[in-house]
Amino acid sequence: MPLHDFAESIRDCVGNERYRFLQLATGVWGATLVSATYAFGLIAHHMKDEFHLSQEQLTTISTVAATFGFFCIPAGAAFDKWGPRIVDIVGTIMLSIGFVLYGLLFSGVIHYHMHTIIIAAVFTAWPTGFFDIGTLMPNLYTFPLDRGSDDDG
């Protein structure tokens, strides 16, 4: 769904309070998922002990993951071309892959290798930009800044 069609469909639903509530709830869900990028700090100490990583290796992992997390251009292009639903689906799939990789790493199913940890970190950091764009940007259409204002301006 192109962006202009999406914007029109949002404008048609603005008066529907149930739709507005669901849109707000989706935005809160997306904002919560965006915080997954900061979860690396919660597991870094355990990862350092489990895999005998140095601080330099942990810094490399988090830097590469953060770099991908800030690269939102593909998510923005997909949002403009196909709308938020596809962006959220791709983000959900990528985040799921990242969490499964972390689970397999910590359970010992996948043997530790620095590249594997970087891939898992990237798959948990990069989708945060997808959720940021896919769930929060539609709220700008649903909840415009001039709503309730007496200004005609």
Side-chain angles (χ1 to χ4, degrees):
M1 170 187 300
L3 184 59
H4 57 83
D5 292 343
F6 170 73
E8 288 300 317
S9 69
I10 291 290
R11 286 189 195 101
D12 292 341
C13 297
V14 166
N16 185 343
E17 292 302 317
R18 181 172 183 262
Y19 178 82
R20 287 169 51 94
F21 173 76
L22 289 174
Q23 188 68 40
L24 181 64
T26 303
V28 170
W29 168 77
T32 304
L33 289 175
V34 168
S35 67
T37 219
Y38 304 107
F40 183 79
L42 298 173
I43 64 170
H45 180 69
H46 181 66
M47 191 180 296
K48 188 175 185 178
D49 294 340
E50 178 84 18
F51 302 121
H52 308 292
L53 300 173
S54 67
Q55 187 61 43
E56 180 181 326
Q57 289 173 315
L58 281 177
T59 303
T60 301
I61 293 168
S62 65
T63 302
V64 171
T67 302
F68 273 90
F70 294 138
F71 186 64
C72 298
I73 293 171
F79 180 84
D80 289 343
K81 186 166 184 169
W82 297 299
R85 185 170 292 146
I86 297 299
V87 173
D88 286 339
I89 290 171
V90 169
T92 301
I93 291 169
M94 289 172 61
L95 190 65
S96 300
I97 290 170
F99 285 152
V100 166
L101 281 174
Y102 271 135
L104 294 174
L105 276 166
F106 281 117
S107 65
V109 175
I110 296 177
H111 297 290
Y112 155 73
H113 194 273
M114 182 75 171
H115 294 99
T116 312
I117 294 177
I118 288 175
I119 290 170
V122 164
F123 270 97
T124 55
W126 197 14
T128 60
F130 283 71
F131 293 124
D132 194 17
I133 291 170
T135 59
L136 301 180
M137 292 304 291
N139 280 332
L140 296 176
Y141 291 108
T142 306
F143 302 101
L145 291 176
D146 62 351
R147 183 66 65 179
S149 157
D150 290 335
D151 276 354
D152 289 335

